[in-house]
Amino acid sequence: MDKILDRIWRFFSSVKLAIVLILLIIATAIIGTVIQQGLPDEAYIQHYGTATFNILNSIDIFDMYHSWWFELLLLTFIVNVLVCTWERLPAIFKMFSNPTLKLPLEKMNAFKEKETISYSGTRDAFIKKLIQKLREIYKAPIHNDAKEGDYLYLEKGRVARFGPYVTHISLIIIFVGVLIGSFFGFEGYLNLVPGESSSIVRTIRGNKKITLPFSIQCNHFNVEFYKSGIPKAYKSDLSIISDGNIAARKVIDVNKPLTYKGITIYQASYGQAGASSFNLVLQNGRKGESDVSLNLNQQYKITNDTSIAVLDYTQNYQGFGPTILLGVYKGQKLVNTSIYLQKYPDFHGAEAVGGYRIKFVKADESFYTGLQVAKDPGAPYVAAGAIMLILGLIMSFFSYRRRIWIFIPDDTSDKTFTIAGVADRNKYSFEMEFEKIIQELKKGVKE
Amino acid sequence: MINMSQHTNTLLLGIATFVYVGAMFLYLFGLVFRKKFLDISGFVVFVGAFLIETAGLIARWIESYHLEYGHIPITNLYESLIFLSWTIALTYIIVDLKYKIRKLGFPVSLTAFIFMAYASFSPDVSSRIEPLVPALKSNWLVFHVITSFFGYAFFALAFGASVFYLISDWYTKHTNGKVLSYLPSTKVLDEISYKLIIIGEILLAIGIITGAAWADYAWGRYWSWDPKETWSLITFLIYVVYLHLRYSWGWHGRAAAIFAILGFAFVLFTYLGVNLVLSGLHSYGSA
Ligand code: HEM
């Protein structure tokens, strides 16, 4: 039993597995970008045919980032990071608390970066001078004197050894945040026309109903456009109504959401809710022009016995653009209907209603606001993890650890000392650095 | 004061495009004739092109205010191509001052020229200053674009340094150990490309995270597996593999150089491929 556990542990602690998993995640993630995700089934059936669709659908290819196998892959990856980190962390701490201060000469000789230098003068005076010199040009060494001789130890860039662990732990924190979000959070949407309020949102995935502990009321909604017709800004004036009271009120904007009791309301979109009023021009040869603005179905008297009303509106009538259906009444009786096109004001020629030529100028449209309502209690963990990840990367790479050992044998007949060094990374930079130290020391020894 | 007509920026950017060509030829002659003054004049002309390009970008920024849009010029394909060539140029200048790897000037000026020429002359790319849709009005977006693009630029230079590594390595192999005198030694090139990848990776990570923060402020969702997002993550992971192969298995030299070169394909795909290739595959309706 222990053997099996041991084997599982060994399996999850390997960097080889990490590389295989990352490559698998890459390969599968690519599939999800090539095959568009989350379309209605019909779109896929049309493209692939029913048989292929059924096979692909059974392995959730069309929603693969939420499929069990992709999530399993991510989970395996996280376990891998966790085990890897757990296993190596004690060694890292030990290295910190208990670095190798005395390295035997034969180990030093095995390093690529090493040098044996002879000195003059007395041994004790030399050691003092050497320590002084090292402090000036590099760092104060840790001095140990043993029976066989004196050992000096210098280390720089220690913090870089911690960097990868900060990064790896940050991945686990991010993962925990994602889990919290998916278990305790939701994402829904809600459309409101001005004046309306609601406490029910529908989830984006699965279209489930969620009842909020308060209701959201849209007081006003406003869209501004650039001259070219592209939307410039859209803003909703919202109130949060809790137990019959207004608990909060804010004008939200894209990128400026409102948060209340852990639930955040975002300005996500907007849409046409129909037209609210219509501007017409009535032209009469003698009386000149007059502008009228009518609501839908509102009757407007143009002569004693004739009135008109806008009965219907469409934004685009058979490609002719905004169009209204105008009704003409004698008394209360509808006697005639005809269409008026905004783009073609002369469509009716000289034809007049009750002595007036009528032009449809423009409809004032009303919009609904599209709100996204989301709760994600995991987000702060994800954010903290993300910051930690960056810090870990900077720690790893801002510096690099290098260690230098010096041994001065006790035997005074042999007036030499040996220096050797090694770097975890950036071997070439270290070679240059080591070279410089050697030169400085050689110079210093002669002085 | 320059007259800020609609076209000052495109004019300046057009001039910069041709000055980059000039720099490119000087660098090329420098490679062929091995004369130091050619490299130096290449560098001087290159810096000139970079300054003109900078002026063009600033003019464009000012012009966007005259049009009452007022936004930093990094928001459509034209601007992003120009901005990418600008980040690559600036990164090269910094890297050259620090690591003395001037010969990279040839591929860098060629790249800057290609991006700018594509922006200016391709019929698919409009140079009009366009207004921003509301979702793009966010400081996070500015950080996001700048960090991601400098990330791309560092990866591009790492790619160049790795190609140089292979050239230098190949030369040494085929001449019984002679070294290419006009390139840094293979040891140096190996380490430079590693350091450039590290910086690129940090910047890309910041780019991904600021992008996620922006999405969270705009839509309440920091990650939605959209293709661009996913490809940035894929690129990040590719270089994570590079770092681990290097650190844990001691990959370096030729293997690392080849990996860095292949890795750059992912950067390119993330930047251009996602928009140009994947959007085509997405049109199921017409298929
Ligand atoms: C997205 C995922 C990952 C990121 C961003 C990441 C990041 C890093 C970084 C930046 C380093 C330092 C490399 C260097 O100094 O050149 C590193 C080292 C390392 N990574 Fe990862 N890593 C990831 C996943 C993993 C996984 C899944 C494992 C599990 C086996 C792992 C194991 C290691 C080990 C053993 C080291 C060497 C640590 C040391 O210096 O003692 N990494 N990682």
Side-chain angles (χ1 to χ4, degrees):
Chain A
M1 187 64 201
D2 273 4
K3 243 190 178 157
I4 297 175
L5 280 180
D6 201 49
R7 275 209 100 164
I8 294 176
W9 183 266
R10 199 72 61 66
F11 175 76
F12 277 112
S13 71
S14 104
V15 180
K16 233 179 252 179
L17 176 68
I19 288 170
V20 170
L21 288 175
I22 295 174
L23 292 176
L24 273 175
I25 292 173
I26 290 172
T28 48
I30 290 175
I31 297 174
T33 65
V34 174
I35 297 176
Q36 203 182 6
Q37 300 289 298
L39 295 179
D41 288 353
E42 296 77 50
Y44 297 115
I45 292 173
Q46 199 189 347
H47 191 256
Y48 293 103
T50 315
T52 318
F53 168 79
N54 284 338
I55 295 168
L56 294 177
N57 198 36
S58 69
I59 51 167
D60 293 327
I61 280 286
F62 305 120
D63 191 17
M64 59 149 280
Y65 298 115
H66 304 95
S67 67
W68 63 269
W69 53 266
F70 192 70
E71 289 182 345
L72 183 68
L73 194 53
L74 294 181
L75 186 71
T76 317
F77 174 73
I78 287 298
V79 172
N80 185 202
V81 182
L82 197 62
V83 173
C84 235
T85 307
W86 188 257
E87 178 158 292
R88 287 169 176 78
L89 213 47
I92 286 285
F93 278 117
K94 193 165 153 252
M95 194 184 67
F96 267 72
S97 57
N98 192 10
T100 314
L101 297 175
K102 296 187 273 186
L103 198 69
L105 195 57
E106 55 296 355
K107 282 204 177 157
M108 284 170 74
N109 280 330
F111 285 142
K112 189 170 155 282
E113 261 33 275
K114 66 155 197 302
E115 189 87 25
T116 300
I117 303 169
S118 53
Y119 63 88
S120 51
T122 69
R123 187 170 175 280
D124 287 349
F126 165 71
I127 292 177
K128 237 190 206 145
K129 210 164 80 182
L130 180 62
I131 291 175
Q132 180 58 32
K133 187 75 192 168
L134 284 168
R135 186 180 298 153
E136 271 166 36
I137 63 167
Y138 200 70
K139 197 182 160 149
I142 298 173
H143 184 184
N144 261 290
D145 83 54
K147 200 157 64 346
E148 65 277 17
D150 286 56
Y151 292 93
L152 303 182
Y153 175 70
L154 303 96
E155 181 181 345
K156 264 193 181 180
R158 190 180 252 223
V159 71
R161 285 296 283 166
F162 249 141
Y165 297 87
V166 173
T167 299
H168 294 149
I169 292 169
S170 80
L171 296 174
I172 295 162
I173 295 176
I174 291 174
F175 185 74
V176 168
V178 171
L179 280 186
I180 293 176
S182 70
F183 283 117
F184 303 110
F186 66 82
E187 260 174 39
Y189 65 91
L190 170 65
N191 295 336
L192 290 174
V193 290
E196 203 181 1
S197 71
S198 172
S199 61
I200 293 170
V201 300
R202 293 210 158 258
T203 58
I204 291 166
R205 290 177 55 73
N207 201 27
K208 284 191 289 272
K209 254 191 200 173
I210 289 180
T211 307
L212 304 175
F214 51 79
S215 70
I216 304 168
Q217 176 173 314
C218 175
N219 305 311
H220 293 288
F221 177 65
N222 184 25
V223 197
E224 284 172 51
F225 294 92
Y226 291 109
K227 279 186 216 107
S228 56
I230 297 171
K232 182 178 182 180
Y234 35 108
K235 299 178 187 181
S236 308
D237 175 356
L238 302 181
S239 294
I240 301 293
I241 306 202
S242 181
D243 300 326
N245 301 316
I246 297 179
R249 182 168 182 170
K250 185 178 174 186
V251 178
I252 66 164
D253 193 346
V254 183
N255 286 315
K256 289 195 189 75
L258 156 67
T259 302
Y260 182 73
K261 294 215 167 135
I263 295 175
T264 307
I265 303 158
Y266 301 86
Q267 180 70 68
S269 64
Y270 67 91
Q272 226 117 41
S276 55
S277 67
F278 305 91
N279 299 320
L280 308 179
V281 170
L282 306 183
Q283 247 176 354
N284 179 301
R286 275 166 298 145
K287 295 182 192 153
E289 286 191 355
S290 56
D291 296 328
V292 258
S293 170
L294 299 180
N295 293 333
L296 197 66
N297 292 322
Q298 177 197 351
Q299 291 193 12
Y300 177 77
K301 254 190 157 117
I302 47 175
T303 65
N304 275 342
D305 60 346
T306 310
S307 42
I308 56 170
V310 176
L311 302 178
D312 200 1
Y313 167 73
T314 169
Q315 254 194 321
N316 196 349
Y317 177 71
Q318 297 183 356
F320 293 112
T323 303
I324 52 170
L325 180 69
L326 194 79
V328 180
Y329 295 84
K330 292 277 184 212
Q332 282 307 311
K333 201 168 161 253
L334 183 64
V335 294
N336 189 18
T337 60
S338 58
I339 58 168
Y340 285 77
L341 307 169
Q342 179 181 325
K343 283 198 196 150
Y344 305 95
D346 295 327
F347 177 63
H348 285 276
E351 183 191 324
V353 177
Y356 291 89
R357 286 178 60 187
I358 299 174
K359 282 182 186 165
F360 164 44
V361 181
K362 145 173 186 293
D364 288 329
E365 309 198 61
S366 71
F367 296 96
Y368 66 80
T369 175
L371 304 174
Q372 176 137 336
V373 182
K375 180 177 161 185
D376 187 354
Y381 299 91
V382 175
I387 291 170
M388 216 173 129
L389 186 134
I390 301 295
L391 286 180
L393 287 177
I394 292 174
M395 272 168 77
S396 305
F397 297 136
F398 215 85
S399 179
Y400 62 105
R401 186 178 66 143
R402 54 266 201 216
R403 290 170 293 171
I404 294 172
W405 292 271
I406 295 174
F407 177 63
I408 308 121
D410 208 24
D411 179 5
T412 41
S413 65
D414 166 28
K415 283 200 168 178
T416 62
F417 71 98
T418 300
I419 173 167
V422 66
D424 296 350
R425 281 189 282 119
N426 299 343
K427 304 275 195 268
Y428 173 74
S429 301
F430 183 65
E431 198 182 311
M432 299 279 105
E433 190 174 72
F434 193 76
E435 189 71 23
K436 227 160 107 195
I437 294 171
I438 299 295
Q439 269 162 19
E440 289 281 342
L441 289 186
K442 280 184 176 162
K443 227 169 41 191
V445 170
K446 289 211 186 78
E447 272 162 14
Chain B
M1 173 83 193
I2 327 163
N3 171 25
M4 285 296 171
S5 78
Q6 254 281 38
H7 301 296
T8 308
N9 76 78
T10 41
L11 181 68
L12 283 169
L13 294 171
I15 294 172
T17 310
F18 288 104
V19 182
Y20 277 127
V21 179
M24 181 188 82
F25 277 112
L26 285 167
Y27 279 126
L28 181 61
F29 295 149
L31 279 173
V32 176
F33 300 114
R34 318 268 163 84
K35 290 276 186 290
K36 200 157 184 191
F37 78 91
L38 285 169
D39 283 349
I40 294 173
S41 22
F43 187 71
V44 169
V45 173
F46 184 89
V47 172
F50 170 75
L51 292 177
I52 298 170
E53 187 180 9
T54 310
L57 280 169
I58 294 173
R60 192 172 175 88
W61 201 345
I62 295 173
E63 279 166 41
S64 83
Y65 275 93
H66 287 220
L67 290 170
E68 294 173 42
Y69 300 153
H71 60 75
I72 186 167
I74 47 177
T75 56
N76 60 16
L77 183 56
Y78 175 83
E79 290 173 353
S80 95
L81 286 163
I82 302 279
F83 187 65
L84 187 60
S85 79
W86 186 82
T87 52
I88 291 176
L90 177 58
T91 306
Y92 162 69
I93 292 171
I94 294 169
V95 168
D96 180 64
L97 293 178
K98 182 142 168 63
Y99 296 116
K100 305 274 169 295
I101 177 166
R102 181 141 306 158
K103 295 289 181 193
L104 268 181
F106 173 65
V108 166
S109 47
L110 179 63
T111 309
F113 163 70
I114 289 173
F115 278 130
M116 294 196 65
Y118 180 52
S120 305
F121 304 119
S122 162
D124 306 333
V125 184
S126 156
S127 69
R128 287 241 317 267
I129 298 180
E130 282 150 30
L132 283 188
V133 296
L136 297 185
K137 289 178 192 157
S138 163
N139 288 334
W140 285 109
L141 177 76
V142 175
F143 285 126
H144 170 59
V145 175
I146 292 176
T147 48
S148 308
F149 277 40
F150 273 105
Y152 296 160
F154 275 94
F155 287 134
L157 290 185
F159 168 80
S162 301
V163 171
F164 277 7
Y165 177 93
L166 291 185
I167 293 172
S168 183
D169 184 50
W170 182 86
Y171 182 85
T172 309
K173 280 253 153 49
H174 288 255
T175 54
N176 294 325
K178 267 201 280 176
V179 288
L180 260 189
S181 56
Y182 58 90
L183 285 181
S185 75
T186 47
K187 262 195 294 194
V188 175
L189 285 169
D190 182 52
E191 195 162 311
I192 288 178
S193 81
Y194 173 54
K195 285 181 171 168
L196 294 174
I197 284 177
I198 284 168
I199 301 173
E201 187 76 337
I202 295 178
L203 288 168
L204 182 61
I206 300 177
I208 292 173
I209 288 168
T210 48
W214 165 49
D216 196 42
Y217 277 95
W219 298 289
R221 191 187 318 164
Y222 50 80
W223 194 262
S224 45
W225 294 106
D226 109 305
K228 191 93 175 174
E229 218 168 54
T230 308
W231 272 94
S232 326
L233 181 66
I234 288 169
T235 304
F236 177 79
L237 290 176
I238 282 287
Y239 287 102
V240 166
V241 171
Y242 171 93
L243 292 174
H244 287 83
L245 285 175
R246 202 173 164 112
Y247 195 82
S248 300
W249 283 351
W251 274 35
H252 62 97
R254 200 169 333 144
I258 291 171
F259 198 107
I261 289 168
L262 297 180
F264 189 63
F266 286 79
V267 177
L268 274 183
F269 195 82
T270 302
Y271 172 61
L272 277 178
V274 171
N275 301 52
L276 299 181
V277 180
L278 287 185
S279 56
L281 287 172
H282 280 179
S283 45
Y284 284 105
S286 61

